[in-house]
Amino acid sequence: MTESTAPTLPTRYTPAEFEDAIYARWEAGDCFAPPAEPGNRKTFSIMMPPPNVTGVLHMGHALNNTIQDIVIRHRRMSGYDALWLPGTDHAGIATQAVVEKKLYQEKQTTRKELGREAFLKEVWDWKEHHGNTILGQLRRLGASCDWNRTKFTLDADMSHAVRVSFVRLWEQGHVYRGARIVNWDCKLQTAVSDDEIEYETRKGHLWHLRYPLSDGSGHLVVATTRPETMLGDTGVAVHPDDARSKDWVGKTLRLPLVDREIPIVADETVDASFGTGAVKLTPGHDPADYERGARAGLPIIIVLNKDGSINENGGRFAGMSRETAREAIVAAFDELGLLDGIEDYTHNVTISDRSKTPIEPLVSEQWFVAMEELAQPAIAAAKSGRLKFKPARWEKVYLDWLENVRDWCISRQLWWGHRIPVWYDEDEVPVASVDDLAIGSAHPKTGKPIVRQDDDVLDTWASSWLWPFATLGWPEQTADLRRFYPTQFLSTARDIIYLWVARMVMAGYAFTDEDGPLAFDSEDPQLCFSTCYIHANVLDAQGKRMSKSAGNGIDPVEMIEQYGADAVRYSLMILTREGQDVKLAANRFELGQRFCNKIWNAARFVLGHLEGEMAEEHGTAVEDRWIRARLAATATEVGAALEAYDFHDAATALYRFTWDDFCDWYLEAAKRRLRAAEDAPEDAAAQAEAARVRFTLGEVLRDLLKLLHPFTPYLTEALWGELPARLRGEEDLLITAAWPTSAGAEDATAVREFDLLRDVVRGFRNVRALLEIPAGDQPAGQLLAEGVEAETAIAGNQELVLWLARLASLTVRSDGERPGDSGTDLTRAGGVFLPFAAETDSGKLRASLEKKLDKVEKGVGGIEKKLGNERFLQNADAEVVASERERLLELQREAEMLRANLASV
RNA sequence: GGGCGAUUAGCUCAGUUGGCUAGAGCGCCUCCCUUACAAGGAGGAUGUCGGGGGUUCGAGUCCCUCAUCGCCCACCA
């Protein structure tokens, strides 16, 4: 029989040729869904963090979804009813902005011109046509989520859940409406929450303004970075301990330009050493002043319109933009001689996350959720260990936010989103309702006719926080909810720990942990998810965040096209260790590509040999026993790492086994007996041995494909399809095959023995390279074996060592005689020798030996010093001392041998 | 102002509870297109583990401190 490889497989790993077809097979086989009928099996569920419906896949998504896919594939193979539920988020502001922009560009119209209903139709239209780009991209990545259960946060059932949750909070008194100072986005013309703003350090000015005392006895100077807000000033504050406060507090000032009488008050929060020590108070437009004004009982005057321009309270400045007004007001103060000075000042400007324009704090009527009480169970969940973070340090971040949580402004002045389920009667008395209240119907409490529904919509996160259970049918008591909730694993980005993670846990306890229709096991009060995995940030090669505007992003889809989805997935996993940020350049995916190619070709080799006769028993040679032991150890290691969510460790173990053990040593070793059988077709013993080798090759490959599958699903599934049916058994598709259980294959003896052989082979290769023995030459190698184990190991496997070292002959001796005129190296099994040829230059060999000797002597010195130290002998563990003594003897022996070797070269 | 992370080979990173001569991939040097794979094989070189101090018989690992880089929170007008 001639060697041949499976004819269908190309020499190179060419993912584009099979990935789409493999994915289609999985979908056709309905492989992603858990069994329809719940059995007795354990469940494992993951809710995919829903990407924005406007989103396109970026590296963060690729990383996060690879993680989830690996976990779910591993659990699916391990016998769980595994559910990974996908979906998208309606992303109120982002989506509305996209469509508004499009409307303006294509039809030169605005949402206001269209009206609410027509505009929403446009958004839904856009969503249907462009909204699911990212889900398609996740398929390319290989995501094995249950697409039949795909959810959208504005689906009818999700909307119902949102209403029920709102009404419940309303009834419990956790939701309230009130005039509070909020972060106002003048561009988008909506309030945004504290978690949707950021600060940007900008160079600006600190203007010093003089406010004359009403009694004409002079003036007081205040400093401000926003002079235009003076139009809304209703007081000035100084610190009560400030020496000047005695003279000032109680007096009034004449506010210039608007000619208003405002009091001077004392407030503890004023920093007497900053600026002039006096701070103007604008309770309508500054969060700190809002608090101070409330303490002093000052009125609130709002001077800005929703678009940021000055309103009618601004007198002659009314109608100006905030920028224009600022200049005009400074000029006016200057004209009046009331401008005390201008200094350059670098300060933080509050910016809206969404529009990237400066936030104007302003007082307005909004809906809020009172958070403190709701936060308590979420705090307890983490503190009690029911909710674990990985890496654990993120728990602190989570707790810090919850323990200092502020009320959540949940109303948004948008149209795209869940409209607030509150109706008003003619006296503006509100009522929340799960079902629509018809205009004209009676208000349930007052009996007066309902006149309108609240115009605002809810913050997007007010639907996202229900995600783990609303996606399963909550508030209905569905079979899915009972079966798959709470979930086990959540993987997400660190920047939404507050926005999303903490709120989900709060919602979990607020809505699903009660004496409702759901019967939870009281001994298992863990809700939402038991592990929150915070994945790494993917940075560019310079360590900067990837961003659209900077143009430094790497497109995962392009990478998938170039390197293959498996290569992208595997690279991401081995590159990131436990949430440690990763600096990524496109060529880093070569690592995964090489690995995939290696798997591909190793499989081609094995498959090519499986065509011969296969025994039903394993080979019994040391390498057969060794590789099976290594496979068992690897399976254990990979399984444990995956259960601990240590993806990098699992990927590394797979790399080591696949490349170093299986390819570099086992396959090379196996060739010896396969070739022997080819060379002697009539030799029954050789044929039988080859048949056993094939069996081992096949079984090891089969299990290796299983272990690799979560990481490189396409490639392994494609190769699985090439395996002979007898190896696959009933398992037609790898995705639903059983995770290998390889207990019992451990074999410490084989591992020890093969390690000795491997060391001897390396010794020969080393000497050979140092002596620069030409490739064709096959000198007679000799080994001076040391120790019984080495002698038997080598004696029984001379042929194998020869094969691997590509030598002509090898003799094992133990009589202590050194062969003369030989190049030598020291191995753990003893000394290896290769005879000098006539023109041998032993210079390199000598240098190498000297270096080794130097290193060993250093080691000897170190240990001698240690063992000479009485305190070491007293304090160190007996085991450590014993092993040091052993080590010393070993090193001394090595040194001796090396010296002898040196003397003879 | 508070918190967190990072600093180990030329580059990117591992290094579990303190304990063999600190590892990997890429790059580099030598040899090899050996019939699975040149996206490969064999061999090799490369480290004052950011600085300083401390604890310890013993520190890359624990403590203190400093430096540099990055992130998060708070936000004084």
Side-chain angles (χ1 to χ4, degrees):
Chain A
M1 187 189 97
T2 53
E3 275 192 45
S4 66
T5 54
T8 50
L9 301 183
T11 339
R12 279 190 166 206
Y13 159 63
T14 44
E17 287 181 13
F18 55 81
E19 288 188 350
D20 289 349
I22 295 284
Y23 201 89
R25 285 185 68 192
W26 289 331
E27 287 205 287
D30 199 19
C31 299
F32 302 153
E37 289 304 314
N40 293 324
R41 310 199 311 169
K42 284 181 289 184
T43 60
F44 195 97
S45 42
I46 303 175
M47 299 299 155
M48 174 190 292
N52 286 357
V53 68
T54 53
V56 286
L57 195 75
H58 58 58
M59 268 306 161
H61 292 126
L63 174 65
N64 192 21
N65 287 285
T66 297
I67 287 169
Q68 293 169 68
D69 195 46
I70 287 170
V71 172
I72 209 71
R73 282 178 187 270
H74 171 238
R75 294 292 175 163
R76 190 183 291 125
M77 293 176 79
S78 301
Y80 288 77
D81 283 355
L83 170 66
W84 183 21
L85 189 147
T88 47
D89 192 302
H90 68 280
I93 293 173
T95 310
Q96 181 164 322
V98 164
V99 177
E100 280 188 276
K101 192 173 170 192
K102 183 168 174 270
L103 272 179
Y104 189 76
Q105 280 173 353
E106 293 178 2
K107 303 181 187 169
Q108 286 77 47
T109 185
T110 64
R111 73 175 215 244
K112 282 177 183 158
E113 281 177 34
L114 276 179
R116 188 163 191 147
E117 206 171 318
F119 176 74
L120 287 179
K121 192 178 170 300
E122 291 281 340
V123 186
W124 277 107
D125 237 39
W126 179 91
K127 187 253 174 189
E128 294 310 321
H129 289 103
H130 308 281
N132 287 332
T133 312
I134 195 164
L135 298 184
Q137 294 174 318
L138 286 172
R139 285 179 162 86
R140 297 287 303 274
L141 187 68
S144 65
C145 31
D146 187 355
W147 298 111
N148 293 326
R149 283 184 170 87
T150 304
K151 284 288 168 190
F152 178 53
T153 50
L154 273 180
D155 284 345
D157 49 354
M158 293 292 291
S159 295
H160 177 67
V162 169
R163 280 197 175 189
V164 169
S165 68
F166 185 93
V167 170
R168 212 170 270 187
L169 289 176
W170 164 281
E171 285 166 352
Q172 294 165 350
H174 286 118
V175 63
Y176 64 90
R177 177 174 160 85
R180 296 284 186 287
I181 191 144
V182 296
N183 308 300
W184 188 261
D185 184 320
C186 298
K187 186 174 176 201
L188 300 169
Q189 299 196 25
T190 178
V192 297
S193 73
D194 291 339
D195 303 289
E196 290 168 309
I197 57 173
E198 53 196 29
Y199 297 95
E200 206 174 289
T201 303
R202 289 192 183 172
K203 282 182 184 159
H205 302 285
L206 197 55
W207 284 274
H208 294 248
L209 307 178
R210 293 177 185 157
Y211 285 6
L213 286 151
S214 304
D215 59 13
S217 64
H219 61 255
L220 191 153
V221 179
V222 296
T224 181
T225 54
R226 294 188 301 151
E228 67 279 10
T229 61
M230 62 76 53
L231 298 171
D233 283 3
T234 56
V236 166
V238 292
H239 195 278
D241 298 340
D242 192 314
R244 298 165 294 185
S245 74
K246 270 199 288 299
D247 301 334
W248 286 344
V249 173
K251 288 189 176 176
T252 61
L253 298 161
R254 197 87 208 153
L255 187 64
L257 308 183
V258 289
D259 206 28
R260 180 160 59 231
E261 195 98 356
I262 59 172
I264 302 175
V265 300
D267 195 284
E268 297 276 350
T269 63
V270 177
D271 180 356
S273 65
F274 184 88
T276 61
V279 54
K280 60 193 266 318
L281 299 178
T282 322
H285 294 287
D286 184 285
D289 292 354
Y290 180 79
E291 302 288 331
R292 293 171 179 139
R295 280 192 290 272
L298 299 180
I300 293 168
I301 295 177
I302 295 172
V303 297
L304 289 176
N305 290 311
K306 302 295 187 193
D307 63 358
S309 62
I310 306 295
N311 72 8
E312 66 282 2
N313 292 331
R316 62 178 156 115
F317 302 96
M320 290 185 188
S321 74
R322 44 188 165 156
E323 294 83 7
T324 313
R326 173 174 300 182
E327 286 172 28
I329 285 166
V330 171
F333 266 82
D334 200 13
E335 228 166 84
L336 294 168
L338 295 174
L339 185 59
D340 200 62
I342 306 174
E343 58 178 305
D344 288 339
Y345 187 62
T346 303
H347 65 298
N348 285 336
V349 177
T350 313
I351 303 291
S352 166
D353 238 352
R354 288 298 172 197
S355 68
K356 306 295 176 194
T357 58
I359 286 287
E360 289 298 335
L362 63 80
V363 172
S364 69
E365 284 273 315
Q366 302 287 346
W367 287 98
F368 295 86
V369 175
M371 299 287 267
E372 196 179 339
E373 203 177 309
L374 297 177
Q376 299 315 310
I379 291 170
K383 286 191 169 169
S384 66
R386 277 171 283 173
L387 166 62
K388 287 197 171 62
F389 282 85
K390 191 174 174 78
R393 64 187 136 90
W394 295 110
E395 180 185 305
K396 187 171 151 45
V397 175
Y398 164 92
L399 285 175
D400 282 350
W401 185 80
L402 282 170
E403 285 168 352
N404 300 294
V405 73
R406 286 182 289 181
D407 286 355
W408 175 19
C409 174
I410 52 165
S411 43
R412 295 289 180 276
Q413 288 64 50
L414 307 172
W415 289 348
W416 177 243
H418 300 98
R419 192 156 169 187
I420 293 180
V422 167
W423 285 260
Y424 301 88
D425 72 5
E426 54 192 19
D427 300 328
E428 284 291 293
V429 177
V431 62
S433 169
V434 171
D435 298 315
D436 281 351
L437 297 183
I439 303 301
S441 66
H443 187 290
K445 288 274 156 58
T446 65
K448 293 189 175 174
I450 293 291
V451 295
R452 67 177 184 96
Q453 182 179 1
D454 200 295
D455 278 331
D456 291 351
V457 301
L458 290 166
D459 180 7
T460 297
W461 300 103
S463 52
S464 317
W465 74 331
L466 310 177
W467 190 249
F469 43 93
T471 48
L472 295 170
W474 183 92
E476 311 314 321
Q477 186 194 8
T478 62
D480 266 8
L481 187 60
R482 273 194 304 265
R483 190 173 169 204
F484 296 110
Y485 181 82
T487 68
Q488 279 66 48
F489 184 68
L490 175 83
S491 177
T492 193
R494 69 190 60 155
D495 40 326
I496 54 176
I497 290 177
Y498 316 129
L499 287 168
W500 194 47
V501 176
R503 286 179 186 157
M504 270 192 292
V505 181
M506 292 170 74
Y509 283 94
F511 301 124
T512 67
D513 182 25
E514 61 186 357
D515 302 325
L518 298 175
F520 288 107
D521 182 358
S522 60
E523 288 181 346
D524 181 20
Q526 171 259 319
L527 295 177
C528 271
F529 32 81
S530 34
T531 299
C532 178
Y533 184 92
I534 302 296
H535 67 69
N537 278 346
V538 184
L539 309 172
D540 74 3
Q542 278 69 47
K544 298 228 161 56
R545 268 207 97 137
M546 289 186 178
S547 77
K548 219 188 254 178
S549 53
N552 61 344
I554 297 176
D555 179 2
V557 176
E558 268 176 41
M559 294 301 105
I560 288 171
E561 278 162 8
Q562 188 175 345
Y563 296 100
D566 292 329
V568 169
R569 292 164 60 110
Y570 185 81
S571 301
L572 286 173
M573 288 305 98
I574 204 154
L575 253 29
T576 67
R577 158 82 202 173
E578 232 214 23
Q580 196 59 52
D581 291 352
V582 57
K583 284 189 243 177
L584 193 71
N587 63 7
R588 305 275 282 161
F589 292 108
E590 285 170 14
L591 193 163
Q593 184 190 32
R594 283 200 177 93
F595 184 58
C596 289
N597 187 60
K598 193 71 178 173
I599 298 166
W600 183 261
N601 277 292
R604 282 180 63 236
F605 172 81
V606 174
L607 291 169
H609 284 280
L610 292 185
E611 286 162 7
E613 195 185 326
M614 191 188 288
E616 286 301 319
E617 56 182 358
H618 285 288
T620 52
V622 63
E623 63 266 35
D624 301 323
R625 288 179 287 123
W626 168 78
I627 195 66
R628 291 175 57 218
R630 284 289 304 127
L631 175 69
T634 304
T636 305
E637 201 179 343
V638 171
L642 287 180
E643 278 169 31
Y645 308 120
D646 288 324
F647 308 104
H648 170 270
D649 292 356
T652 304
L654 286 166
Y655 191 96
R656 294 271 81 89
F657 178 78
T658 305
W659 207 306
D660 299 350
D661 295 336
F662 190 57
C663 292
D664 285 352
W665 291 93
Y666 186 70
L667 292 188
E668 293 308 317
K671 284 175 185 172
R672 180 177 59 104
R673 285 170 292 161
L674 294 171
R675 298 267 160 85
E678 281 163 31
D679 293 344
E682 306 304 320
D683 183 338
Q687 296 303 325
E689 185 61 18
R692 284 190 287 271
V693 171
R694 289 191 194 104
F695 185 69
T696 302
L697 276 173
E699 294 239 313
V700 172
L701 175 65
R702 180 195 60 198
D703 287 353
L704 177 57
L705 290 178
K706 288 182 170 185
L707 296 177
L708 287 165
H709 183 259
F711 288 85
T712 57
Y714 286 116
L715 163 69
T716 49
E717 186 73 82
L719 294 170
W720 185 262
E722 303 290 333
L723 279 183
R726 60 198 157 164
L727 279 171
R728 277 185 317 208
E730 304 291 306
E731 300 174 328
D732 288 337
L733 285 172
L734 179 54
I735 185 173
T736 46
W739 191 252
T741 48
S742 35
E746 281 165 29
D747 190 337
T749 312
V751 171
R752 223 166 39 237
E753 235 177 65
F754 196 80
D755 279 350
L756 283 175
L757 297 181
R758 199 158 46 166
D759 210 35
V760 170
V761 169
R762 285 198 184 116
F764 277 119
R765 285 174 178 171
N766 187 4
V767 176
R768 192 188 173 93
L770 289 169
L771 293 181
E772 294 177 331
I773 295 170
D777 288 9
Q778 302 195 322
Q782 294 191 38
L783 174 74
L784 205 57
E786 285 218 344
V788 179
E789 189 167 34
E791 273 179 51
T792 40
I794 305 304
N797 294 285
Q798 286 203 31
E799 242 191 287
L800 176 64
V801 173
L802 282 174
W803 170 266
L804 291 171
R806 300 279 194 270
L807 296 172
S809 70
L810 176 82
T811 349
V812 181
R813 304 156 26 135
S814 55
D815 57 7
E817 276 182 43
R818 307 170 43 80
D821 289 335
S822 297
T824 76
D825 192 17
L826 194 61
T827 75
R828 280 189 292 154
V832 296
F833 303 85
L834 287 183
F836 289 154
E839 67 286 1
T840 295
D841 173 12
S842 62
K844 279 188 186 177
L845 179 67
R846 171 171 286 276
S848 164
L849 287 172
E850 275 168 355
K851 190 166 176 184
K852 269 186 197 170
L853 178 60
D854 190 55
K855 226 173 168 182
V856 169
E857 280 176 338
K858 256 187 210 159
V860 169
I863 297 181
E864 277 176 340
K865 195 177 157 198
K866 227 187 233 186
L867 288 171
N869 183 338
E870 288 222 2
R871 291 201 291 177
F872 171 70
L873 299 177
Q874 279 168 14
N875 296 323
D877 286 351
E879 281 174 33
V880 174
V881 177
S883 78
E884 288 292 321
R885 285 191 207 283
E886 221 169 280
R887 182 81 195 132
L888 179 63
L889 290 175
E890 218 173 293
L891 285 177
Q892 282 169 334
R893 184 181 61 80
E894 268 184 42
E896 206 176 304
M897 293 268 305
L898 284 167
R899 271 184 223 109
N901 290 352
L902 262 171
S904 68
V905 290

